[in-house]
Amino acid sequence: MSKVVTLNEFIMDRQADFPFATGELSRILNDIAVASKIVSRDVRQAGLVDHILGAQGNTNIQGEEQQKLDVVADEQFIKAFEYGGEICGIASEENDDFVAFTSESAKNGKYVVLFDPLDGSSNIDVNVSIGTIFSIYRRISTVGTEATLEDMLQSGSEQVAAGYVLYGSSTMLVYTTGRGVNGFTLDPSIGEFCLSHRDMRMPETGRLYAMNEGNINICEEGLREYVAYCQSFENDKGAPYSGRYIGSLVADFHRNMIKGGIYIYPDTTTSPEGKLRLLYECNPLAFIAEQAGGIASTGRKRVMDLKPTRLHERVPFYIGSKQMVEKAMSLLK
Ligand code: P6P
């Protein structure tokens, strides 16, 4: 039986992977891990504790009804970042504007974190897996001052680390610092994230496609052609693919990381920019996908090349196994 490697041990062993300074990534990822354990505890009690279940009664900037757990998770991560000492500011799906921390300690932080604290939260009440997605950048503004909007609007190619937490049948934390992707499973009996998926690689191809086909008549013709290809006997497998759409991005993405597949959320006539947010959903997953050998595109452009102009801007999203995304893109052209 091999030795259990905890997240902290792994990061310390790989300190050289994060060239900016020893210990900084450890502290940031540790802050994320601690907040994730708290959110995992709350998610697993959601059905029991009435202060958690159900809607908060507000709507966020996305116009989406905020679930109580959204707010709890958002507050947990912001608290972890604000007092962790490395982060000078954050942007979150749940907050209309970015947050520049004001303490002297935080203003000396060298990094910003953009995150979706609980993506797929509409699934909470039906007990379907949900997730946290995060993206870490070095700040552009001067250390010792308050974070600026410019710090938040960086291209995905500038990310120094990115990851997700999946609150599924087990709670997993998966991250990259640009040197491969590694996955850790929370062992509740010891409260530690333990290395369970070393050097994750996304299969080059697969036969699972994830898309809300309710959009099939309001998306572009090329995508309809691709879905027909997936469903035909004349595709690269000689048999129809399987449709698998959980309606929870992190769960759909993680499945494709393991089994191979493609996730598509296109632009439609009703949502011309698509639905998913560039900064804290598409860019972090794009970093992970590329590090694992996959592709992340808007259907025409590499997601991580885009220059963001707004905190909550949305983009069409095609992400997954290299050959599957390339095939979809070829039909879009
Ligand atoms: P639809 C959840 O709100 C989310 O952002 C992703 O997690 C998920 O893949 C998608 O939206 C589901 O959207 O329009 O298919 O319900």
Side-chain angles (χ1 to χ4, degrees), residues 51-72:
H51 80 280
I52 294 285
L53 201 61
Q56 172 81 347
N58 306 325
T59 57
N60 62 19
I61 190 168
Q62 323 295 338
E64 293 167 348
E65 186 178 55
Q66 272 191 308
Q67 299 294 324
K68 287 180 181 177
L69 211 46
D70 272 338
V71 177
V72 169

Side-chain angles (χ1 to χ4, degrees), residues 64 93 116 119-123 212 215 245 247-250 252 263 265 275-277 281:
E64 293 167 348
E93 188 204 33
D116 184 350
D119 180 82
S121 53
S122 56
N123 293 297
N212 179 343
N215 294 324
Y245 190 65
S248 187
L249 171 60
V250 175
D252 277 316
Y263 172 98
Y265 209 106
K275 174 177 185 181
L276 299 182
R277 278 58 57 138
E281 291 170 341

